[in-house]
Amino acid sequence: MRLKERLTVNETLKRSLRRAFLRRLRRRAFAAAGATAGAAALLVALLWSSSLLPARWGETSHVLAADWSVGEMKTVARLDRTTLAPQGYAASSAGLYLSASVGGLYRLDGARLEKIADGAFGDIDLSPDGRTIVWSTGEQLGAYDLLTGEKTVWLKGGAAAPEAGHAADGPPNEAVYYERPVFQDAHTILLTRRTIAPRETHGFVVRASEIVAFDIRTHAVTVLGEGENPAPVPDKGGFVYVSVAREVPDPEEADEAPSLRPTFEIVYRDEGGQEKVIAHGKDPAVSPDGRYVAYVHVPQTGSFDTPDPPQDALEGVWLVDLDGRTARRLSFNVPAPNAIRQDGRWTVLPYYSYFKPRWAEDVRSLYVLQSTNVDPGGEMRLIRIALDDRPPGPAAVVRAYETATLRGDDFFALRLFPGDQLPPMSNPRKVGFAVLRAEDAPNGERATIDVAEMWSYTSMPYASMVRVRYTLGQEGGEWRILRNERLGEQSVALDERFDSPALVMVDEAGKQTLFPVSEAREAFGTTDAARPTAIAYLPKHGEIIIALADGGDSWIGAYDLEQGAFRLLDRRKGAFAARLLASPDERLLAAELVPPAGGAPTVRVYAADGGWSVDLGERLNADLLYFDEDGTLYTQLSAPGYRALVAWTIDAGGAVERRP
């Protein structure tokens, strides 16, 4: 792949080129009277003194940024970059609000994506009372009332902005743009105001990049200083912002191109106006308790002595204390393929790019956008990172790794098991797991965990149980998987013998014929043309669950390995079972039923003992993915522009509850 093609999907370089400076940005003295945290600080103070705070929040006041661990990183939604890539998003108790690049404002509640307004919104933030969305499209700054649906324009920028200069003849020589608005309190918004002018030859230059405060009552604009991407600090006052500097050959040479690698400094400016550089990166977001800053770490250079630089040299999500005392890398990255070597140095792009961290409603969880630099037409993921002040033990790390591979969260799986070859998301697919044994070594330096993994094919009669042993060690106070080894496998599959197809079991002892398909046809009362389409294996119960289909009809039944007897569980018309899954405790079965003429599949859940069955209540244009250890079923809901996980809990009586 050519470098030009890779740069088009690298946000850091795109932003560098788009906002090319011809001079180094120098921070000016900030206004003596900075805006206060106001209502936001009061809200936090009230929460601290009330029972509304989670009980453990008060227990973490001593935790430094370096002492937090990542308890979980999961994909909340997979967004199509070409149709629904968000330009901005905001988190709230009512769900997530997304502004799409193709226009429109959306609410994502669990796996439900609802369009609530048309038009362009750009960057967005949510007011402290949860009623108002502030938005900026660059040329405009405004508000959207979530209760009334009214969209208001507060400021007009572009070449028509009042503060933009105009040449006597020809086009305007300056234009003003508004970016990254964020509520500081109920009445004040901090944002970046950028003034640009066209070059005589091509492109444009940035005349000024300023942090301003906008009063939504008076519409007064107050310049606070030079910089970009402000993030207010709750409770403590002041704000964090990004200072950008670029090297140029000579400040007098106005038409010389600046360096493509700017220097991003994250600066904390306290309520008294004192400043401190706390990190190098972009997109800062301050935690609700005002103690931490999540940000995107940006390497100082993209040129290395090796095509495989260390993790800390690649772009990623980091956490730093507000005073800059300690920092912790949260995400995982690897170099993109096809690094370029020139003059003995390697130009390396990161495989993953991260954007716009946003905190959830407590200090233990934050969101971030992620995309790859190898697939311009691919997806952008919205990820939720859960923090833990107590590092997970070995068994918890293995569970997190297994769950990440089931969900396709490769970025988290590789963080727990660096260098691993991840299992495929296509056939055969892992569909469940259960921890069998956990053992710590006497010296505490190693731990071993044994796991049973369930694997399956889609629309093919095959199921297997694989026993895997993980060995773990500690790195930086956290457990990491060092290696895994396969201990054994037991599988059930269709043996396509020409004269009489049969189901067979294969393990270390060899192959054993279980029953011919003709016996299942006779026991279930199928047609002579019915063929097996899916299998699930229940080793604890000693049963095989098999689905047969003929055209638009399906039969689902069980075979008792000890008794050699069949029992019919269900007869379905107008659909065939493309996949059968069993929960690890073998209490539940799930069938993905697909109409033969096309259309969205449905999912039906059965008690393994045949006592009841229930539909999940809606059509799912997606995959039946997996059961977790406690019997929660996960499916993947697809709609135009996005995909998201849906979790289903089913009790012993068949009552179904859907949750995000």
Side-chain angles (χ1 to χ4, degrees):
M1 182 182 294
R2 293 178 300 170
L3 179 60
K4 177 181 177 182
E5 295 171 330
R6 292 161 63 180
L7 292 177
T8 59
V9 296
N10 181 274
E11 189 69 14
T12 299
L13 296 183
K14 284 198 301 185
R15 292 179 58 202
S16 300
L17 293 170
R18 179 175 63 86
R19 299 174 302 164
F21 286 109
L22 291 182
R23 58 185 176 85
R24 183 195 302 272
L25 286 177
R26 298 180 176 87
R27 294 194 300 275
R28 299 194 301 265
F30 280 77
T36 64
L42 176 61
L43 176 62
V44 174
L46 288 173
L47 288 175
W48 270 99
S49 60
S50 73
S51 60
L52 295 177
L53 275 177
R56 290 186 61 196
W57 195 352
E59 299 171 9
T60 62
S61 61
H62 64 284
V63 179
L64 295 174
D67 294 329
W68 284 104
S69 297
V70 177
E72 183 181 50
M73 291 182 68
K74 68 177 181 180
T75 300
V76 175
R78 300 171 186 267
L79 307 166
D80 188 336
R81 281 200 226 178
T82 60
T83 59
L84 200 66
Q87 291 181 301
Y89 71 104
S92 75
S93 58
L96 290 164
Y97 293 95
L98 306 173
S99 60
S101 59
V102 294
L105 184 65
Y106 296 80
R107 181 187 292 111
L108 178 63
D109 182 10
R112 300 182 188 275
L113 188 69
E114 174 191 8
K115 189 173 186 178
I116 59 178
D118 291 315
F121 286 86
D123 288 324
I124 62 173
D125 192 39
L126 186 66
S127 62
D129 62 6
R131 173 169 175 167
T132 304
I133 293 282
V134 60
W135 54 267
S136 67
T137 59
E139 294 190 353
Q140 291 183 336
L141 175 74
Y144 178 82
D145 191 308
L146 291 168
L147 295 183
T148 66
E150 181 182 1
K151 188 176 183 181
T152 304
V153 176
W154 284 333
L155 293 176
K156 290 185 177 181
E163 55 263 59
H166 293 265
D169 298 308
N173 58 19
E174 283 191 352
V176 174
Y177 294 93
Y178 305 104
E179 301 175 2
R180 298 295 183 90
V182 58
F183 277 94
Q184 185 179 41
D185 56 46
H187 307 294
T188 308
I189 293 168
L190 302 183
L191 68 151
T192 304
R193 183 175 67 182
R194 206 178 304 279
T195 304
I196 69 170
R199 292 177 184 268
E200 292 185 4
T201 54
H202 64 279
F204 55 86
V205 295
V206 178
R207 298 297 190 197
S209 181
E210 301 166 310
I211 295 171
V212 300
F214 176 77
D215 191 312
I216 65 176
R217 298 164 297 186
T218 66
H219 291 195
V221 177
T222 304
V223 178
L224 302 179
E226 198 170 61
E228 61 184 44
N229 297 2
V233 179
D235 198 32
K236 297 178 175 60
F239 55 88
V240 171
Y241 71 97
V242 176
S243 174
V244 185
R246 289 171 174 81
E247 296 292 341
V248 295
D250 186 338
E252 301 300 325
E253 298 178 9
D255 285 330
E256 289 293 330
S259 167
L260 295 181
R261 278 286 171 179
T263 299
F264 296 90
E265 292 182 340
I266 296 179
V267 182
Y268 170 44
R269 191 250 185 183
D270 66 21
E271 207 167 17
Q274 298 296 313
E275 292 186 358
K276 181 179 181 180
V277 177
I278 61 174
H280 288 85
K282 61 181 182 178
D283 293 355
V286 183
S287 62
D289 62 356
R291 293 182 56 86
Y292 313 102
V293 179
Y295 66 98
V296 177
H297 165 73
V298 179
Q300 296 299 298
T301 176
S303 179
F304 302 96
D305 293 327
T306 169
D308 189 17
Q311 275 287 305
D312 292 357
L314 295 172
E315 180 178 321
V317 183
W318 283 62
L319 189 69
V320 65
D321 300 299
L322 185 64
D323 60 6
R325 190 186 320 175
T326 68
R328 161 75 74 178
R329 174 172 53 85
L330 303 180
S331 64
F332 179 85
N333 216 331
V334 293
N338 303 325
I340 298 175
R341 187 175 184 180
Q342 186 176 9
D343 299 329
R345 301 279 289 177
W346 292 87
T347 299
V348 177
L349 294 177
Y351 189 93
Y352 300 113
S353 287
Y354 294 92
F355 317 95
K356 301 182 180 179
R358 295 287 183 267
W359 289 87
E361 294 190 302
D362 60 49
V363 74
R364 294 180 174 275
S365 185
L366 62 104
Y367 296 93
V368 68
L369 291 169
Q370 180 210 62
S371 66
T372 69
N373 292 317
V374 296
D375 185 9
E379 65 186 15
M380 178 177 284
R381 298 176 181 179
L382 179 62
I383 297 168
R384 183 163 183 155
I385 303 175
L387 302 178
D388 198 329
D389 56 337
R390 301 178 180 91
V397 168
V398 170
R399 285 186 169 93
Y401 170 79
E402 288 280 351
T403 301
T405 58
L406 286 168
R407 291 175 172 167
D409 290 336
D410 48 357
F411 52 89
F412 186 39
L414 289 171
R415 185 182 188 276
L416 301 172
F417 193 179
D420 184 32
Q421 296 296 318
L422 295 176
M425 286 299 291
S426 58
N427 288 321
R429 177 184 293 180
K430 190 193 303 183
V431 294
F433 74 93
V435 173
L436 303 176
R437 183 185 65 88
E439 178 180 312
D440 293 333
N443 59 12
E445 295 179 357
R446 294 287 186 272
T448 57
I449 310 292
D450 289 353
V451 172
E453 296 178 348
M454 284 68 81
W455 290 74
S456 175
Y457 272 86
T458 300
S459 301
M460 184 180 296
Y462 172 90
S464 70
M465 182 81 67
V466 181
R467 297 182 302 280
V468 180
R469 174 164 295 170
Y470 290 93
T471 301
L472 297 91
Q474 287 190 302
E475 174 186 319
E478 294 184 326
W479 288 97
R480 293 286 187 272
I481 299 172
L482 302 178
R483 63 179 181 275
N484 61 359
E485 56 182 320
R486 180 173 294 205
L487 302 179
E489 179 178 358
Q490 195 172 43
S491 62
V492 179
L494 178 67
D495 186 348
E496 291 275 19
R497 289 178 293 182
F498 181 79
D499 54 344
S500 179
L503 250 67
V504 298
M505 178 176 289
V506 181
D507 56 19
E508 292 84 352
K511 182 167 70 173
Q512 172 190 358
T513 299
L514 301 178
F515 58 85
V517 174
S518 58
E519 289 186 7
R521 292 174 181 152
E522 182 179 354
F524 299 154
T526 75
T527 64
D528 292 340
R531 293 181 56 80
T533 59
I535 294 173
Y537 177 37
L538 283 62
K540 298 175 187 175
H541 288 175
E543 284 189 325
I544 304 295
I545 309 299
I546 182 172
L548 290 85
D550 179 11
D553 295 336
S554 286
W555 296 261
I556 301 174
Y559 175 77
D560 189 304
L561 291 170
E562 182 177 351
Q563 302 296 326
F566 293 92
R567 59 186 175 95
L568 183 65
L569 291 174
D570 197 11
R571 166 78 183 274
R572 310 301 299 174
K573 289 184 176 293
F576 71 94
R579 187 188 295 274
L580 290 173
L581 302 185
S583 60
D585 60 7
E586 300 183 6
R587 180 176 62 89
L588 301 172
L589 302 171
E592 182 178 319
L593 303 171
V594 180
T602 59
V603 173
R604 191 166 184 86
V605 180
Y606 303 84
D609 61 9
W612 51 263
S613 64
V614 61
D615 282 318
L616 293 187
E618 64 180 88
R619 302 189 72 79
L620 303 170
N621 186 23
D623 292 329
L624 175 60
L625 289 184
Y626 67 94
F627 277 104
D628 67 12
E629 281 190 295
D630 67 4
T632 299
L633 177 64
Y634 288 85
T635 62
Q636 183 171 248
L637 176 65
S638 292
Y642 87 106
R643 293 182 292 155
L645 280 180
V646 182
W648 309 84
T649 57
I650 304 101
D651 67 16
V656 176
E657 180 181 355
R658 171 180 169 157
R659 59 182 177 82

